[in-house]
Amino acid sequence: MGEEYTVRWFQPGDADEVHRFVASELHRKNPTEWFDWKYVDAPYLSHVPFTLAEHGDEIVGVHGYAPAPLRAGDRVRLALQPVDAFVDPSHRQQGIFTALVRQGLDRYREESPALFFNTPTDGALRVHRKLGWELLGDLAVYYRVQRPSALDVLDVDGAPGQLIDHAYDAVARGSLAVLDATAPSASEIDVTRHEELPVETLASLYETSVPDRLHICREPRYYEWWLDDPNADYAAYVARVDGTPVGAVVTRQATRNVLQIRDAVPLGSARSRSVFGTLLAAVVTDNADVPVVKTAGATLPGGLLKRFGFVRDSLPVLESVSSSFYVACRSLDDGRSEEVFPGDATDRSNWRFTFLEMNRD
């Protein structure tokens, strides 16, 4: 990287310039609230995990790190997710992104995090692979298309095109209605929607069946922080039998057109098809006007999603609205994480990825 560039860690005096940068370049709404939520107020760390690249007095690149407590069975250790990386287009091809990544590697090798894991873009992945990241593969993304006309899937204009759009919407509604009517659910299960998230209930449900594979630990502290994104609306659907919680899903809506099913607990063997079928039925009923409902990884069983009309992102008609998620990780302690976690963290089979693990939309 040229001598005219400087890479360093965030300092409190940088706040105003950083807020302007993330608003204009990362296109984050409410940049002050968003930055404070994600970085200044992030738990688990005693510093603001955000790096800057400067050209003179101008910020030309940024890179952040989101803390994530990783758990496998009864073992927990802190990991970090490299996120929100951006370099001004007029300053690219100068080694700035590589320098930003190295800044994080140099610091966190000496501190407590066990590893990095993230879902990098194609360009970021090329740099990460050169710096020791292992590619774990891609992550399945599932879409329930409820209103095709909102997706610009069909390349048609004018009145005939509008008629075609309405026809496709009607077909989608009719097909999904048939699937919903035959999907598994149970009348003895009561579902309540919570806009104020019941984090203690979510964490308790998680503790009933903790996977032995690597995943984010759903403890109250993590839920309270991570589900408080000022640029998204979260809701929790809790299923109860005779008043006792038996399962829950968490939804997130950051745009008008897409509702995400971000989490579902319990994660492990205590899952019930009828419980999650009833929860999913409640979600799609409440959100029938949303063009797309989306989830990823093992958030919900693939067979159940299919019964509710979800399709994989590989379907050709979704090419204009879907993107692949690549999952990658890098040890920060020369493999010593194996002393805490069972198996090799660079082996995909030792992970249990859901949408909550993904710092992507």
Side-chain angles (χ1 to χ4, degrees):
M1 189 173 68
E3 293 181 359
E4 67 270 25
Y5 294 98
T6 301
V7 173
R8 61 179 179 82
W9 290 90
F10 173 89
Q11 297 295 327
D14 300 320
D16 289 343
E17 287 300 316
V18 168
H19 297 160
R20 281 192 283 270
F21 189 88
V22 300
S24 62
E25 304 298 344
L26 297 182
H27 307 294
R28 298 294 187 259
K29 298 179 294 182
N30 306 308
T32 300
E33 293 84 353
W34 176 85
F35 187 81
D36 286 351
W37 157 71
K38 195 166 188 179
Y39 295 109
V40 177
D41 299 330
Y44 307 104
L45 298 172
S46 59
H47 64 282
V48 177
F50 199 78
T51 54
L52 314 174
E54 294 178 310
H55 183 261
D57 294 330
E58 178 188 9
I59 296 175
V60 296
V62 297
H63 200 344
Y65 299 86
L70 279 188
R71 183 173 182 178
D74 59 357
R75 289 167 281 191
V76 182
R77 190 167 174 188
L78 184 65
L80 295 175
Q81 292 183 290
V83 292
D84 297 322
F86 184 86
V87 176
D88 186 310
S90 62
H91 292 272
R92 292 175 184 172
Q93 308 302 317
Q94 303 295 323
I96 293 173
F97 177 64
T98 299
L100 287 165
V101 174
R102 288 188 184 279
Q103 187 85 348
L105 281 172
D106 290 344
R107 176 170 191 160
Y108 293 122
R109 278 197 193 103
E110 305 301 322
E111 298 187 9
S112 60
L115 55 87
F116 288 153
F117 77 99
N118 57 332
T119 52
T121 62
D122 291 341
L125 182 59
R126 287 192 290 272
V127 173
H128 286 153
R129 293 295 298 273
K130 293 177 182 178
L131 295 177
W133 265 255
E134 296 288 340
L135 179 63
L136 303 181
D138 61 356
L139 190 71
V141 183
Y142 300 92
Y143 295 84
R144 174 181 157 110
V145 181
Q146 304 186 137
R147 190 149 54 87
S149 62
L151 303 182
D152 296 326
V153 171
L154 304 174
D155 186 16
V156 290
D157 296 306
Q162 292 175 9
L163 292 174
I164 293 173
D165 283 348
H166 289 313
Y168 270 84
D169 286 353
V171 169
R173 284 195 301 270
S175 300
L176 293 172
V178 171
L179 290 170
D180 294 348
T182 60
S185 62
S187 58
E188 71 274 12
I189 299 172
D190 296 318
V191 175
T192 305
R193 183 181 187 274
H194 300 263
E195 292 188 7
E196 184 173 340
L197 299 180
V199 295
E200 295 290 344
T201 298
L202 296 173
S204 295
L205 284 166
Y206 160 72
E207 289 289 348
T208 64
S209 186
V210 177
D212 290 329
R213 290 181 289 164
L214 290 165
H215 63 282
I216 286 179
C217 178
R218 272 79 164 164
E219 61 184 4
R221 178 166 58 152
Y222 185 81
Y223 270 140
E224 287 171 355
W225 166 57
W226 192 242
L227 303 184
D228 197 33
D229 181 349
N231 288 339
D233 292 325
Y234 279 93
Y237 290 77
V238 179
R240 294 177 172 86
V241 175
D242 296 330
T244 300
V246 292
V249 298
V250 177
T251 64
R252 176 183 185 269
Q253 188 156 13
T255 67
R256 182 179 59 185
N257 284 342
V258 179
L259 179 84
Q260 302 169 1
I261 299 177
R262 203 75 194 191
D263 196 25
V265 286
L267 294 174
S269 58
R271 289 192 155 198
S272 163
R273 184 177 177 83
S274 61
V275 167
F276 285 106
T278 305
L279 285 164
L280 196 47
V283 170
V284 299
T285 298
D286 279 0
N287 296 280
D289 293 333
V290 178
V292 174
V293 182
K294 174 182 179 182
T295 192
T299 308
L300 288 166
L304 183 64
L305 292 172
K306 184 177 180 180
R307 292 292 300 274
F308 277 90
F310 286 79
V311 295
R312 280 288 307 266
D313 53 346
S314 54
L315 195 69
V317 74
L318 292 173
E319 288 180 355
S320 65
V321 295
S322 66
S323 58
S324 297
F325 285 0
Y326 298 106
V327 186
C329 77
R330 189 196 193 285
S331 173
L332 294 173
D333 56 10
D334 300 322
R336 292 193 302 275
S337 60
E338 293 184 34
E339 299 172 9
V340 178
F341 299 133
D344 182 0
T346 63
D347 183 345
R348 171 67 177 269
S349 66
N350 290 325
W351 288 80
R352 192 185 191 289
F353 288 112
T354 75
F355 213 162
L356 192 72
E357 277 74 29
M358 301 300 98
N359 205 299
R360 291 275 296 277
D361 287 337

